[in-house]
């Protein structure tokens, strides 16, 4: 078994210091052949476009949620803040949100119990799998309660405001592959950063979070990289619409 050492520069952005990322590439020598990892674009070719789009959208949603919670997260201090921050990149998360239906308009979903099983109006923000928790501030226990609350709002001519719980599975294992597929579908979008650079930004964000946890860098340096990555994914997600 022989190993070669390869180094690459991580994204840091204009005026920011560069980190060095190093890893070992193992080459198994035997029977006159060597094993090499498949190129990223070759792996990406195996991922369906719809799957790639969902992964990128999930990653974008997680970053948006972390941005929104940043004041609460950063108030805990470097170590505790980064412990919570990094959880968003190691597991799925649960977020809460609202979907508002204007008076007189259709809800645009099929419901089973309190779970959304079909969506006909994606522009409202619904996703299959969402769980309805309240309607116009009233807790709903089942499908009948959902129908009852919607009916009351329609009779009163008021908007229907759903508070929903959404569980987002971990998208990060396949994130870089998904970005590569998505980039190929952008059709020359000038504002989009190339997929490998987005991957570097993602890895640098995690690296800076780990360094922040041990006091090497400060919270604002993590936040600016979070904002940078979210801004890049804004372009990818916008192109899906």
């Amino acid at each position: 078994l022989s190993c070669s050492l390869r180094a690459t520069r991580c994204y840091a952005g204009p005026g920011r210091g560069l980190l060095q990322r190093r890893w070992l590439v193992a080459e198994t020598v035997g029977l006159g052949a060597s094993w090499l990892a498949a190129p990223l674009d070759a792996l990406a070719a195996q991922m369906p476009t719809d799957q790639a789009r969902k992964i990128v959208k999930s990653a974008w949603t997680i970053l948006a949620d972390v941005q929104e919670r940043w004041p609460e997260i950063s108030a805990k201090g470097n170590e505790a803040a980064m412990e919570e921050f990094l959880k968003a990149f190691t597991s799925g998360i649960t977020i809460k949100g609202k979907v508002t239906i204007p008076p007189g308009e259709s809800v645009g979903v099929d419901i089973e119990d309190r779970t959304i099983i079909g969506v006909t109006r994606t522009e409202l923000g619904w996703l299959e799998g969402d769980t309805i928790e309240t309607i116009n501030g009233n807790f709903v226990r089942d499908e009948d309660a959902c129908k009852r609350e919607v009916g009351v709002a329609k009779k009163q001519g008021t908007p229907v405001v759903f508070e929903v719980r959404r569980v987002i599975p971990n998208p990060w294992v396949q994130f870089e592959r998904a970005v590569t597929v998505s980039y190929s579908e952008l059709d020359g979008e000038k504002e989009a950063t190339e997929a490998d650079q987005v991957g570097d930004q993602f890895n640098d964000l995690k690296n800076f979070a780990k360094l922040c946890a041990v006091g090497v860098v400060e919270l604002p340096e993590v936040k600016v990289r979070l904002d940078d990555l979210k801004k890049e994914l804004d372009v990818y997600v916008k192109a899906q619409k």
Side-chain angles (χ1 to χ4, degrees), residues 5-69:
L5 183 65
R6 181 173 55 164
T8 186
R9 287 168 48 155
C10 294
Y11 170 87
R16 298 178 192 150
L18 290 170
L19 296 178
Q20 295 292 326
R21 186 171 73 248
R22 298 177 182 271
W23 65 92
L24 293 177
V25 179
E27 298 176 355
T28 304
V29 181
L31 302 177
S34 64
W35 182 90
L36 297 174
L40 183 59
D41 53 358
L43 291 172
Q46 303 171 20
M47 179 179 288
T49 300
D50 287 348
Q51 181 185 357
R53 289 176 175 174
K54 288 179 181 179
I55 289 172
V56 171
K57 182 65 178 292
S58 293
W60 176 88
T61 302
I62 289 174
L63 294 178
D65 176 68
V66 173
Q67 274 187 329
E68 184 177 347
R69 294 189 297 113

Side-chain angles (χ1 to χ4, degrees), residues 49 52-53 56-57 175-198 231-241:
T49 300
R53 289 176 175 174
V56 171
K57 182 65 178 292
F175 174 70
E176 293 183 61
R177 290 174 60 193
V179 171
T180 299
V181 173
S182 297
Y183 184 78
S184 69
E185 299 291 324
L186 289 179
D187 195 24
E189 175 61 58
K190 293 182 180 179
E191 296 180 3
T193 298
E194 291 186 6
D196 58 344
Q197 295 180 35
V198 175
K231 184 178 179 180
E232 299 296 353
L233 294 192
D234 285 346
V235 179
Y236 280 74
V237 171
K238 182 180 178 181
Q240 295 180 10
K241 298 178 180 179

Side-chain angles (χ1 to χ4, degrees), residues 141-228:
R141 193 176 300 277
D142 53 28
E143 186 175 343
D144 289 339
C146 291
K147 291 178 179 178
R148 184 167 56 251
E149 292 295 335
V150 170
V152 170
K154 286 186 175 181
K155 285 182 180 180
Q156 296 175 345
T158 59
V160 187
V161 180
F162 294 84
E163 184 174 287
V164 301
R165 175 167 45 86
R166 179 173 297 168
V167 178
I168 301 177
N170 182 356
W172 305 111
V173 174
Q174 296 182 299
F175 174 70
E176 293 183 61
R177 290 174 60 193
V179 171
T180 299
V181 173
S182 297
Y183 184 78
S184 69
E185 299 291 324
L186 289 179
D187 195 24
E189 175 61 58
K190 293 182 180 179
E191 296 180 3
T193 298
E194 291 186 6
D196 58 344
Q197 295 180 35
V198 175
D200 282 346
Q201 287 179 264
F202 167 58
N203 287 309
D204 276 356
L205 174 59
K206 291 190 297 180
N207 287 338
F208 268 77
K210 292 173 183 177
L211 290 172
C212 181
V214 294
V216 176
V217 301
E218 295 302 321
L219 288 165
E221 296 178 80
V222 178
K223 178 60 162 57
V224 75
R225 284 164 174 79
L226 168 65
D227 293 342
D228 283 350

Side-chain angles (χ1 to χ4, degrees), residues 86-108:
L86 286 166
K87 287 179 182 178
F89 300 97
T90 57
S91 62
I93 65 169
T94 299
I95 64 174
K96 290 188 177 183
K98 290 184 178 180
V99 175
T100 301
I101 314 298
E105 295 191 14
S106 66
V107 173

Side-chain angles (χ1 to χ4, degrees), residues 72-93:
E72 171 193 340
I73 293 172
S74 60
K76 298 181 178 182
N78 287 24
E79 184 176 356
M82 292 302 94
E83 181 180 352
E84 181 170 344
F85 178 84
L86 286 166
K87 287 179 182 178
F89 300 97
T90 57
S91 62
I93 65 169

